Amino acid sequence: MLDAHGREIDYIRISLIDRCNLRCVYCMPEEGFTLTAREELLTYGEIEKICRMMADMGLKKIKLTGGEPLVRRNLSELVRRLKKIPGIEKVTLTTNAVLLAQHMEELSEAGIDSINISLDTLDRKLYQEITRRDRILDVKKGLQAALRHPEISLKINCVPMGLPGQDLVEIAQLAQNNKLHVRFIEMMPIGYGKNFRFTGEAEIIEKLEQKFGKAEIFTGRLGNGPCHYYDFEGFQGKIGFISAISHKFCDKCNRVRLTSQGFLKTCLQYNIGNDLKKPLRAGASEEELKNLIADTIAAKPIGHRFLESDIADENNLNMSQIGG
């Protein structure tokens, strides 16, 4: 799958549900949020069908996300079905890990390749402030359960928020003491994220080098996306950065997103894309759907313009609706 700018699109991030058991301040309001009716969500069968068609066209990697994907029932069954699709090389999961401990074994048996845990602090009080829920002990249990499966790649996703008490060094030490990678992700100016400043990569590297010594650039590749990594002496894992604002990487973008309601979205910033659910449920042929997918990908924008304010057709969804 090539877009009009010659980029190969082989990776899709699929939001399974817009519901979540947390209410992170940069993602969702505390209350009053209108959730998608269950009958409007893509079924697992519909997701599998879309992925099979896209695999025929060159799709190789699938990320399952939300909302919180583990609040949707029988997630491991979907993982198992997607893993059987010819051409799919990896099926991975992003989760807040609140429910991970109770689902870890079945996810492993289903063949999940990698798990990303969203975790912005290890401090119980600050965690409750950020997520509006007191669930950090459950998250730590989920992290320990995942670490008991070394065959599954494990990453921690941390969004630096510049809040008092958010100890990024403590988060980085998870990669020092465990076989996992820690990635710092710049705050995206999407939805409620617009209310927070992002902390730049250079600022974080400076803090980490003061504690751990010189960072060495890692030239290899880990995972499906645009993260770049550093090595610190004595670390079991690596420290990564996804710096979409300060280190724009749109020229290398290989992804599209599928919302829980079936909208194939080609860029995080814009509403540009097409609804796949309506023609799928109306009985469109596989050829018609593949043509729609191809046309959608061909129209993928050349890049985001988050630093510009007067953008037409700007995204009007929150991250929980798009897929984090």
Side-chain angles (χ1 to χ4, degrees):
M1 294 184 287
L2 294 177
D3 68 11
H5 309 287
R7 294 171 295 193
E8 181 181 0
I9 309 303
D10 62 359
Y11 175 31
I12 190 168
R13 298 176 65 96
I14 302 174
S15 174
L16 300 181
I17 195 167
D18 57 0
R19 287 170 169 78
C20 188
N21 43 16
L22 300 179
R23 288 293 183 272
C24 295
V25 294
Y26 53 76
C27 186
M28 298 178 73
E30 187 168 9
E31 54 187 21
F33 185 69
T34 302
L35 297 168
T36 302
R38 293 188 183 276
E39 60 269 20
E40 294 301 319
L41 298 175
L42 286 177
T43 67
Y44 285 172
E46 290 168 337
I47 292 171
E48 181 184 6
K49 184 172 183 177
I50 291 170
C51 289
R52 282 189 180 276
M53 288 187 292
M54 293 184 73
D56 288 343
M57 302 168 70
L59 180 69
K60 298 176 183 175
K61 293 159 283 193
I62 300 169
K63 169 77 72 180
L64 302 176
T65 179
E68 170 47 43
L70 288 176
V71 304
R72 188 155 176 182
R73 294 178 181 176
N74 302 317
L75 175 59
S76 59
E77 177 58 28
L78 177 62
V79 172
R80 187 175 289 105
R81 291 161 68 172
L82 296 178
K83 286 284 292 183
K84 293 179 179 178
I85 297 175
I88 297 300
E89 298 173 359
K90 288 185 178 180
V91 178
T92 65
L93 174 71
T94 292
T95 173
N96 60 33
V98 169
L99 301 174
L100 186 57
Q102 58 192 275
H103 293 288
M104 193 61 232
E105 293 302 321
E106 61 194 51
L107 286 169
S108 174
E109 291 171 3
I112 198 77
D113 292 291
S114 177
I115 295 176
N116 294 356
I117 295 177
S118 301
L119 181 60
D120 299 327
T121 180
L122 292 172
D123 180 81
R124 184 172 183 175
K125 183 178 179 180
L126 183 58
Y127 182 89
Q128 188 169 357
E129 178 183 333
I130 294 172
T131 68
R132 303 188 179 104
R133 301 290 187 271
D134 185 15
R135 304 302 295 271
I136 187 64
L137 299 182
D138 294 319
V139 174
K140 290 179 178 179
K141 290 177 183 177
L143 173 58
Q144 291 304 313
L147 284 169
R148 290 194 286 271
H149 290 270
E151 75 281 3
I152 298 172
S153 175
L154 185 60
K155 302 182 181 76
I156 302 296
N157 289 343
C158 174
V159 179
M161 301 173 65
L163 296 176
Q166 188 182 26
D167 190 342
L168 303 184
V169 169
E170 185 179 36
I171 293 288
Q173 283 177 316
L174 290 172
Q176 182 182 37
N177 301 323
N178 303 280
K179 291 184 178 180
L180 56 78
H181 308 301
V182 168
R183 292 135 34 112
F184 294 105
I185 304 176
E186 283 183 348
M187 178 71 72
M188 300 295 290
I190 294 286
Y192 295 94
K194 294 178 181 178
N195 300 324
F196 298 88
R197 76 172 184 90
F198 70 81
T199 304
E201 179 176 330
E203 181 181 345
I204 298 171
I205 281 287
E206 182 180 359
K207 288 181 180 179
L208 298 185
E209 287 188 328
Q210 289 174 358
K211 174 68 175 181
F212 304 117
K214 181 67 175 176
E216 299 292 338
I217 295 174
F218 175 70
T219 57
R221 185 169 177 80
L222 297 170
N224 303 325
C227 189
H228 57 278
Y229 290 88
Y230 293 85
D231 278 313
F232 283 91
E233 186 175 355
F235 273 50
Q236 297 186 52
K238 303 186 187 306
I239 300 296
F241 290 87
I242 300 177
S243 307
I245 307 301
S246 64
H247 295 69
K248 188 175 177 179
F249 44 73
C250 295
D251 61 320
K252 301 180 182 66
C253 185
N254 65 336
R255 71 187 61 188
V256 289
R257 295 168 183 263
L258 184 66
T259 72
S260 60
Q261 298 181 55
F263 187 80
L264 185 61
K265 184 176 174 65
T266 55
C267 179
L268 183 61
Q269 183 173 19
Y270 305 101
N271 289 322
I272 297 170
N274 275 302
D275 177 24
L276 299 185
K277 182 180 67 178
K278 185 175 180 179
L280 182 62
R281 292 187 176 178
S285 69
E286 186 170 303
E287 181 181 3
E288 289 172 328
L289 288 165
K290 284 183 175 179
N291 287 337
L292 179 58
I293 291 168
D295 290 344
T296 304
I297 288 173
K300 181 176 169 66
I302 193 168
H304 74 69
R305 295 163 62 192
F306 280 122
L307 298 181
E308 303 175 39
S309 58
D310 55 340
I311 305 301
D313 199 31
E314 188 172 4
N315 171 71
N316 57 6
L317 299 175
N318 297 314
M319 285 303 295
S320 62
Q321 297 168 295
I322 300 168

